[in-house]
Amino acid sequence: VVMAATRNVMRAVRVFEFGGPEVLKLQSDVLVPVPKENQVLIKVHACGVNPVETYIRSGTYARKPALPYTPGSDVAGVVEGVGECVTAFKKGDRVFTLETLSGGYAEYAVAAANRVFPLPDKLDFRQGAAIGVPYFTAYRALFQKGCAKAGESVLVHGASGGVGLAACQIARACGLKVLGTAGTEEGMNVILRNGAHQAFNHRDPNYTERIKACTGPGGVDIIIEMLSNVNLDADLQLLSCAGRVMVVGCRGRIEINPRDTMSKESSIIGVSLFLATEEERHECATAVLDGIEAGWLKPVVGSEYPLEKVAKAHEDIICSSGARGKMVLIL
């Protein structure tokens, strides 16, 4: 009886109250979820860590899950079981998800079958955990909201993190001129290896002047912005006529002069993958799977943490000196 009971439980991170990284509690007696009719149960091998998960955990984000909950949306692993209506997947399939229903910081996770995708053998599980939110967000920012076209220029502000590198790879594959910023020499090298034509250090006091020298008087057509509370005012000075800033990340308020948008008829557009329609998600998925097949979509994995160090991961993703790829939890 004891043996049967232990198989029904797993290790998972639980949040019982909103707050700092210390509210992330690793429990070893969490029930393994059971997949309903259109759901897939995945044995998790790796789970991506996204900045948004730290905002949700702190209780400052617009969407608050009911407590207690397990964070995490992008997992990669092996199908353990499927609901009775699922035909696309079977036990043993390698998969990655865009979002889980039960939470990804766990040994097992349940996801809706239409949010699960096959993981090709050429990518490992750590890379699989770096696809979902970063690549779908980057594609949405560039094309669904930013209306990017081949021949245009894009500046990826904070290009060495998960979404930033995804944006560099996608934009380069689709014929854009790609500029990226990072905070370290290593970060700049990573973005140059992943699609950026030119890299700039955003810790250099004159870096915006360097970007202007590079783009010429025309300016840059699209800016993918990961830290708009710091950069938005400067971004508006860098744009071309009809240029647009895509706000992907923000950690506070900023003062801007709206007149800066009038002189160029520029736009500031917010991006939220959460608001994508089913059709838009399908379009993102098609583009991402095509990119994997074509070989230009190659997730870069940065820092790796065991589940026990999840609080440190949440600390580092906000406070580290410079990203270099996607942060993942390894199970």
Side-chain angles (χ1 to χ4, degrees), residues 58-104:
S58 69
T60 59
Y61 197 62
R63 286 185 291 125
K64 283 191 186 66
L67 295 166
Y69 77 99
T70 295
S73 57
D74 314 346
V75 307
V78 174
V79 174
E80 180 72 18
V82 297
E84 64 229 35
C85 299
V86 176
T87 55
F89 301 101
K90 61 184 187 309
K91 186 174 164 69
D93 286 350
R94 286 165 44 95
V95 293
F96 72 92
T97 65
L98 177 61
E99 62 185 85
T100 66
L101 296 164
S102 57

Side-chain angles (χ1 to χ4, degrees), residues 132-144 162-168 170 224 226 248 271 273 284:
V133 169
Y135 282 87
F136 280 60
T137 300
Y139 183 86
R140 181 168 179 76
L142 281 162
F143 298 105
Q144 293 178 341
V163 179
L165 288 167
C168 288
I170 294 171
I224 308 290
M226 311 302 166
V248 172
V271 178
L273 187 56
C284 288

Side-chain angles (χ1 to χ4, degrees), residues 241-272:
C241 270
R244 47 265 185 223
V245 180
M246 314 310 301
V247 177
V248 172
C250 183
R251 296 183 191 167
R253 304 174 73 85
I254 186 171
E255 189 173 309
I256 61 164
N257 184 347
R259 189 178 290 276
D260 292 337
T261 64
M262 295 160 63
S263 55
K264 295 173 182 171
E265 291 196 327
S266 55
S267 315
I268 301 166
I269 302 167
V271 178
S272 171

Side-chain angles (χ1 to χ4, degrees), residues 281-320:
R281 284 172 196 268
H282 181 71
E283 183 195 337
C284 288
T286 306
V288 164
L289 294 170
D290 284 354
I292 295 172
E293 204 178 324
W296 57 256
L297 193 157
K298 288 202 187 83
V300 179
V301 177
S303 315
E304 301 174 21
Y305 300 80
L307 217 43
E308 294 78 11
K309 295 268 167 54
V310 63
K312 179 87 173 95
H314 268 225
E315 216 169 285
D316 291 352
I317 200 166
I318 296 301
C319 306
S320 75

Side-chain angles (χ1 to χ4, degrees), residues 204-234:
D204 169 358
N206 298 319
Y207 85 98
T208 53
E209 295 309 314
R210 291 172 197 262
I211 293 172
K212 281 179 185 164
C214 174
T215 60
V220 67
D221 299 305
I222 302 170
I223 298 177
I224 308 290
E225 183 51 73
M226 311 302 166
L227 199 59
S228 45
N229 54 300
V230 172
N231 300 322
L232 187 57
D233 186 46

